[in-house]
């Protein structure tokens, strides 16, 4: 699944979250979060965990296809 690192970083900034704090909230390792943000992709279940950790829907963090 293609995610938007920009959207995730904006949500992290709004909530004053570090990657470590997001890792704790979402149940994903900090290193995995860094890799996901760098690559811009992850498995759908991981996108769900990220979204839950940020308190948003998956639709809010995916990159929209043109």
């Amino acid at each position: 699944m293609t995610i938007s690192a920009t959207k995730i970083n904006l949500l992290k900034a709004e909530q004053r979250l570090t990657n470590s704090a997001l890792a704790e909230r979402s149940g994903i390792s900090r290193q995995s979060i860094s890799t996901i943000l760098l690559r811009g992709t992850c498995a759908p279940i991981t996108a769900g965990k990220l979204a839950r950790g940020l308190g948003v829907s998956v639709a809010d963090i995916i990159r929209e296809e043109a």
Side-chain angles (χ1 to χ4, degrees):
M1 177 165 276
T2 305
I3 57 102
S4 171
T6 302
K7 289 179 182 180
I8 290 174
N9 284 324
L10 284 171
L11 288 163
K12 284 175 34 192
E14 288 173 357
Q15 297 177 38
R16 296 176 200 86
L17 291 175
T18 62
N19 281 353
S20 295
L22 179 56
E24 283 187 35
R25 282 185 171 193
S26 61
I28 301 169
S29 73
R30 183 200 50 78
Q31 183 60 43
S32 291
I33 290 174
S34 295
T35 302
I36 290 165
L37 293 175
L38 183 65
R39 288 186 186 163
T41 61
C42 65
I45 193 161
T46 305
K49 289 178 180 182
L50 278 173
R52 185 179 62 233
L54 290 164
V56 298
S57 73
V58 173
D60 292 330
I61 64 168
I62 61 170
R63 187 167 59 209
E64 304 193 13
E65 301 296 323

